[in-house]
């Protein structure tokens, strides 16, 4: 049986015309941003993708069907329905087989985007290796290793062990490019403290690397797009509230896929919305850059 897949009219038309398309994930809407702002942000990032010449394809599972591009009702369900779970790749089959619904993470969005023939994807920050004693590594990393997709992000979330995550990205042969930077971005922070081997200046260079990467072997190209220094979260505030959030997560016994949403929410509360503002700016900027790269890729 073929995968139950529904493509929005806007995305289907762009596909038919060979026009640039940008995949957007739904977990950051459902579980990464607080309500009610999340719905407005979901709509706004789609608008940004359109403004920069591409068609947005927000991906989610609704009632046992994969949606490539959501209408406003679908977007509203993802943003406002309390019963929308977070679906990594391993959860997708269960949700689809049982007629369920859910929001897709970086791993599952990348997989579904490729199945729909979409090569460029914008998100906030990738998952990675968590800090602390118990081993917790996001499925995003292994998924990117085998998926021919270009992901625009602000690095990996700063709640993670960034050094270990960079090592894993290297082991998994994920190509990482700094966009106008030699430093790996730290999500809320412009600079994670770690260097990058490769830097590009313009979208067409990302497109050229991606084409070559795909010719060599299926695997992701990560374009790391840092927040400008004047838009980052104050680093002192960041370090203080992160330490408190990590301690609270441990004290509350938070495990598994609840860890990332819990930490992001703790930071949003503890910074009085400053981390939320930075997170939204990250997503907006990544949507713009992804649309420009998708344009360069479509132009050939
Ligand atoms: N980027 C954001 N906010 C988010 C995420 C990314 O700005 O909430 C989500 C993505 O869906 C990513 C997930 O795949 O966080 C990582 O979750 P985990 O660590 O459980 O793999
Ligand atoms: Mn995990």
């Amino acid at each position: 049986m073929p995968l139950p897949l529904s493509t929005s009219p806007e995305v289907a038309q762009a596909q038919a015309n060979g026009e640039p398309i940008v995949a957007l994930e739904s977990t950051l809407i459902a579980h990464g941003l607080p309500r009610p702002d999340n719905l407005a942000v979901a709509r706004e990032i789609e608008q940004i993708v359109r403004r920069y010449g591409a068609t947005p394809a927000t991906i989610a599972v609704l009632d046992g069907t994969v949606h490539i591009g959501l209408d406003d009702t679908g977007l509203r369900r993802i943003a406002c329905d309390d019963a929308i779970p977070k679906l990594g790749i391993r959860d997708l089959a269960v949700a689809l087989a049982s007629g369920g619904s859910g929001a897709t993470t970086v791993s599952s969005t990348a997989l579904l985007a490729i199945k729909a023939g979409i090569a460029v994807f914008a998100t906030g920050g990738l998952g990675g290796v968590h800090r602390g004693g118990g081993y917790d590594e996001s499925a995003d990393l292994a998924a990117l290793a085998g998926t021919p997709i270009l992901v625009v992000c602000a690095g990996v979330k700063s709640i993670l062990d960034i050094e270990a995550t960079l090592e894993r990205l290297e082991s998994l042969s994920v190509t990482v490019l700094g966009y106008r930077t030699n430093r790996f971005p730290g999500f809320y922070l412009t600079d994670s403290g770690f260097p990058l081997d490769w830097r590009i200046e313009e979208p067409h260079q990302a497109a050229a690397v991606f084409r070559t990467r795909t010719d060599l072997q299926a695997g992701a190209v990560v374009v790391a797009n840092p927040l400008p220094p004047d838009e980052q979260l104050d680093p002192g505030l960041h370090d203080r509230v992160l330490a408190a959030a990590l301690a609270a997560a441990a004290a509350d016994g938070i495990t598994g896929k609840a860890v990332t949403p819990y930490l992001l929410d703790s930071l949003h509360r503890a910074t009085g919305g400053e981390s939320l503002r930075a997170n939204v700016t990250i997503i907006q900027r990544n949507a713009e850059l992804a649309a420009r790269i998708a344009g360069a890729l479509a132009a050939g």
Side-chain angles (χ1 to χ4, degrees), residues 130 136-138 256:
H130 285 260
D136 179 354
E137 177 181 328
S138 174

Side-chain angles (χ1 to χ4, degrees), residues 106 123-128 138 140-141 144 151 153 155-157 160 169 222:
V106 168
T123 184
L126 304 179
S138 174
D140 292 354
L141 299 184
L144 293 179
V151 190
C153 61
V156 301
K157 285 185 266 284
L160 300 166
L169 287 167
V222 169

Side-chain angles (χ1 to χ4, degrees), residues 58-288:
T58 303
I59 295 181
V61 175
L62 294 174
D63 308 318
T65 296
V66 172
H67 284 257
I68 308 292
L70 292 177
D71 60 17
D72 206 63
T73 310
L75 220 48
R76 222 180 250 283
R77 275 183 69 184
I78 290 298
C80 309
D81 183 344
D82 285 326
I84 292 290
K86 174 178 167 184
L87 306 177
I89 290 177
R90 68 175 189 158
D91 311 303
L92 269 181
V94 186
L96 288 169
S98 61
S101 303
T104 52
T105 66
V106 168
S107 68
S108 49
T109 305
L111 174 76
L112 295 171
I114 287 306
K115 285 199 180 293
I118 302 170
V120 178
F121 169 22
T123 184
L126 304 179
V129 180
H130 285 260
R131 303 178 192 216
Y135 201 76
D136 179 354
E137 177 181 328
S138 174
D140 292 354
L141 299 184
L144 293 179
T147 308
I149 194 139
L150 186 149
V151 190
V152 181
C153 61
V156 301
K157 285 185 266 284
S158 54
I159 57 175
L160 300 166
D161 181 333
I162 297 188
E163 188 171 19
T165 303
L166 280 169
E167 290 297 336
R168 287 290 290 147
L169 287 167
E170 182 184 359
S171 307
L172 293 164
S173 294
V174 174
T175 301
V176 183
L177 306 175
Y179 181 68
R180 299 182 177 171
T181 182
N182 300 307
R183 309 291 299 172
F184 191 57
F187 194 64
Y188 300 123
L189 305 178
T190 303
D191 180 351
S192 68
F194 295 92
L196 280 175
D197 290 334
W198 302 106
R199 166 185 181 134
I200 55 160
E201 304 299 327
E202 297 300 333
H204 72 87
Q205 294 172 298
V209 171
F210 178 66
R211 274 191 219 103
T212 312
R213 178 73 176 87
T214 308
D215 287 344
L216 286 166
Q217 181 203 46
V221 172
V222 169
V223 176
N225 183 27
L227 275 178
D230 60 345
E231 295 193 58
Q232 70 177 337
L233 189 60
D234 172 58
L237 173 65
H238 172 269
D239 295 353
R240 277 198 307 281
V241 295
L242 179 56
L246 290 167
D252 287 351
I254 307 299
T255 58
K257 62 187 181 182
V259 172
T260 296
Y262 180 97
L263 290 174
L264 296 183
D265 185 56
S266 300
L267 294 192
H268 294 160
R269 290 168 198 274
T271 60
E274 265 303 287
S275 66
L276 176 59
R277 178 203 54 73
N279 199 347
V280 171
T281 307
I282 286 165
I283 302 165
Q284 292 167 337
R285 290 168 49 84
N286 293 348
E288 172 186 334

